[in-house]
């Protein structure tokens, strides 16, 4: 007997076009959407009255650190408490994210590959939480950004070795959507300069070539212009943060089909965190925020693919999830709500390579469904203020 549920008569979002379709039924069976239409009979299905409500796909965050707690020093906490406690925190954050309607995240770096274990535990049903696409520990050079969530690889041989180790780990843990993360420049959190590219162009190409050959994709932390430019030239799949990108390279991103994951809200928060985080972090973040406004606006205008990502769990960012803070910041920086919602659902799914499974309410996809009492296209705050229920694969999250 297949478990069937039908969301009846709701205002169903078509995130592809940004339009609401009124009075539709969404029939789900065995965790998948079977049909979307008017007047479905849904024999044998549990009926959920959605008249007057808004039916949305689950939100996807393409950049989180699932073990970090968003306190003033999550990196220090990881180090003091070790990987076992990081694992427990990660499981809790994954559950909190799911309950709030963030049904899928990509973890872009964790101490000791622990996010891979969190993802595995949830996948196996050992714990409840959002789906996680884990990159494991980030790959980085000896002179780099947040080394405690990374493994050091400096030579070509070390890089190849680390990528293959990651391939082995992800495959053993039955993670089918496989990504690696590299630290391509410095960042706001550490002592290092933001400026230089941490790897040469040849090494970046080696990383992309090896990862792609093994059917993996590459995310790069890239904050400074000189580092970002090298990543774009090398064809890195997702440019994380991407604070400062000249037009010429935005055009190249578009031509090559690369994606910007801008993480706007965290730098805004850090730029205003005097006395809570180290002064250098505040100063660096102010510069990042100024550049981001312009880059984000130009990327939008030029049609560069943009996926929502938050850096959830980062210093002074507050509890996970942070996707709704990011949505508001994207809107504040000029993106209309329909584009924000697309970027947080279907676009993020496409970027991750999961568009056959999630990201919209289409037949055949997993029934990750949010029920809201207000229209998020009119007011993005509806995702937090008017969230009534979350369904994961057709099952009510409680
Ligand atoms: Zn990050």
């Amino acid at each position: 007997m297949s478990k069937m549920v039908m969301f009846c008569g709701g205002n169903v979002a078509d995130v592809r076009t940004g339009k609401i379709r009124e009075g539709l039924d969404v029939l789900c069976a065995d965790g998948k959407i079977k049909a979307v239409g008017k007047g479905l009979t849904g024999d044998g299905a549990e009926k959920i009255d959605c008249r007057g409500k808004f039916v949305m796909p689950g939100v996807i965050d393409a950049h989180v650190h699932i073990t970090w707690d968003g306190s003033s020093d999550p990196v220090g906490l990881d180090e003091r408490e070790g990987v076992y406690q990081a694992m427990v925190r990660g499981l809790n954050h994954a559950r909190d994210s799911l309950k709030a309607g963030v049904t899928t995240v990509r973890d872009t770096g964790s101490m000791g590959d622990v996010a891979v274990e969190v993802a595995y535990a949830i996948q196996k049903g050992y714990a409840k939480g959002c789906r996680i696409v884990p990159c494991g520990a980030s790959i980085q050079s000896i002179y780099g950004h947040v080394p405690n969530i990374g493994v050091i690889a400096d030579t070509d041989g070390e890089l190849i070795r680390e990528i293959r180790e990651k391939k082995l780990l992800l495959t053993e843990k039955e993670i089918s959507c496989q990504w690696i993360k590299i630290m391509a420049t410095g960042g706001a959190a550490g002592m290092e300069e933001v400026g230089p590219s941490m790897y040469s162009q040849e090494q970046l190409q080696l990383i992309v070539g090896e990862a792609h050959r093994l059917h993996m994709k590459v995310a790069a932390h890239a904050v400074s212009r000189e580092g970002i430019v090298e990543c774009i030239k090398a064809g890195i799949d997702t440019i994380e943060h991407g604070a400062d990108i000249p037009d010429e390279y935005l055009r190249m991103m578009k031509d090559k089909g690369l994606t910007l994951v801008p993480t706007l809200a965290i730098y805004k928060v850090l730029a205003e965190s005097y006395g809570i985080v180290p002064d250098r972090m505040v100063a660096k973040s102010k510069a990042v925020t100024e550049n981001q406004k312009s880059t984000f606006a130009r990327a939008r205008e030029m049609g560069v693919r943009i996926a929502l990502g938050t850096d959830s769990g980062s210093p002074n960012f507050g509890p996970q999830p942070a996707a709704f803070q990011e949505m508001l910041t994207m809107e504040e920086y000029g993106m209309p709500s329909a584009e924000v919602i697309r970027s947080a659902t279907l676009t993020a799914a496409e970027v991750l390579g999961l568009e056959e499974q999630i990201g919209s309410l289409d037949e055949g996809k997993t029934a990750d469904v949010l029920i809201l009492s207000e229209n998020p296209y009119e007011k993005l705050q509806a995702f937090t203020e008017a969230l009534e229920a979350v369904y994961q694969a057709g099952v009510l999250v409680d």
Side-chain angles (χ1 to χ4, degrees):
M1 262 290 279
S2 72
K3 166 106 170 86
M4 287 169 73
V5 44
M6 188 157 89
F7 302 99
C8 304
N11 302 310
V12 176
D14 178 352
V15 292
R16 191 173 276 105
T17 59
K19 297 258 178 346
I20 292 284
R21 299 171 297 166
E22 287 173 18
L24 290 194
D25 301 323
V26 181
L27 177 65
C28 311
D30 296 324
K32 292 222 157 62
I33 297 170
K34 288 290 171 208
V36 182
K38 276 210 161 100
L40 302 179
T41 54
D43 287 336
E46 179 198 344
K47 307 260 168 62
I48 294 146
D49 185 2
C50 292
R51 284 173 296 174
K53 317 270 181 184
F54 295 83
V55 184
M56 307 294 299
V59 167
I60 303 168
D61 185 339
H63 188 132
V64 310
H65 298 278
I66 201 73
T67 72
W68 289 356
D69 67 350
S71 63
S72 61
D73 186 19
V75 179
L77 186 65
D78 260 5
E79 286 202 328
R80 285 193 303 279
E81 294 191 345
V83 287
Y84 297 112
Q85 299 309 322
M87 170 105 191
V88 176
R89 262 186 270 113
L91 289 167
N92 278 327
H93 299 153
R95 194 195 52 208
D96 293 345
S97 299
L98 175 63
K99 279 184 169 175
V102 178
T103 49
T104 301
V105 301
R106 182 182 57 171
D107 184 282
T108 49
S110 65
M111 179 175 62
D113 291 316
V114 70
V116 179
E117 304 299 335
V118 177
Y120 179 80
I122 291 168
Q123 209 164 271
K124 280 279 172 184
Y126 301 157
K128 286 197 177 15
C130 59
R131 175 202 309 248
I132 300 176
V133 175
C135 300
S138 63
I139 295 172
Q140 57 184 94
S141 78
I142 187 93
Y143 174 66
H145 179 59
V146 207
N148 91 328
I149 59 165
V151 288
I152 305 300
D154 279 308
T155 65
D156 293 3
E158 286 165 356
L159 283 167
I160 298 255
R161 176 81 196 208
E162 282 307 331
I163 294 167
R164 291 180 189 174
E165 293 246 19
K166 213 63 93 182
K167 177 76 191 175
L168 175 64
L169 173 69
L170 293 174
T171 307
E172 277 179 348
K173 292 295 178 194
E174 300 168 38
I175 308 290
S176 53
C177 181
Q178 299 185 340
W179 283 80
I180 59 167
K181 165 87 178 291
I182 66 163
M183 295 293 195
T185 71
M191 297 294 292
E192 76 283 355
E193 297 164 59
V194 177
S197 178
M198 296 294 177
Y199 289 114
S200 67
Q201 181 54 219
E202 293 68 28
Q203 285 190 314
L204 290 169
Q205 286 178 18
L206 178 85
I207 293 165
V208 172
E210 183 67 10
H212 285 182
R213 197 175 60 73
L214 295 173
H215 302 162
M216 306 167 88
K217 288 187 189 167
V218 186
H221 165 102
V223 176
S224 71
R225 179 183 288 213
E226 55 188 290
I228 294 166
V229 161
E230 296 301 329
C231 287
I232 294 170
K233 282 198 229 162
I236 299 274
D237 299 287
T238 59
I239 307 292
E240 309 296 311
H241 318 301
D244 181 11
I245 314 180
D247 284 351
E248 161 189 14
Y249 287 95
L250 286 173
R251 216 165 290 124
M252 194 183 285
M253 282 186 79
K254 186 164 163 49
D255 292 345
K256 291 187 176 198
L258 311 182
T259 300
L260 177 64
V261 181
T263 69
L264 306 171
I266 179 60
Y267 289 101
K268 206 173 152 234
V269 167
L270 286 173
E272 292 158 6
S273 296
Y274 264 118
I276 301 169
V277 301
D279 287 355
R280 62 159 194 282
M281 214 188 281
V282 176
K284 284 180 181 180
S285 298
K286 275 193 165 164
V288 169
T289 291
E290 281 316 305
N291 287 326
Q292 271 182 329
K293 285 179 187 161
S294 150
T295 297
F296 181 68
R298 285 180 292 109
R300 259 199 69 231
E301 277 163 29
M302 292 169 68
V304 174
R305 192 157 72 165
I306 298 173
L308 179 139
T310 58
D311 229 347
S312 192
S314 284
N316 202 31
F317 206 11
Q320 303 208 31
F324 307 107
Q325 253 172 287
E326 183 68 18
M327 284 187 185
L328 296 182
T329 312
M330 291 166 100
E331 190 181 41
E332 184 192 326
Y333 288 6
M335 186 182 256
S337 63
E339 270 182 59
V340 173
I341 291 170
R342 195 191 199 287
S343 145
T345 53
L346 187 58
T347 303
E350 288 165 351
V351 171
L352 296 183
L354 293 172
E355 72 276 15
E356 303 285 314
Q357 296 165 54
I358 54 171
S360 62
L361 298 173
D362 290 317
E363 227 177 281
K365 293 201 184 186
T366 300
D368 290 345
V369 176
L370 315 184
I371 310 294
L372 313 182
S373 59
E374 287 173 57
N375 187 350
Y377 287 96
E378 280 169 11
K379 194 178 92 171
L380 286 168
Q381 285 89 338
F383 278 108
T384 47
E385 292 168 6
L387 179 67
E388 294 204 336
V390 178
Y391 287 80
Q392 183 185 41
V395 177
L396 180 66
V397 174
D398 48 18

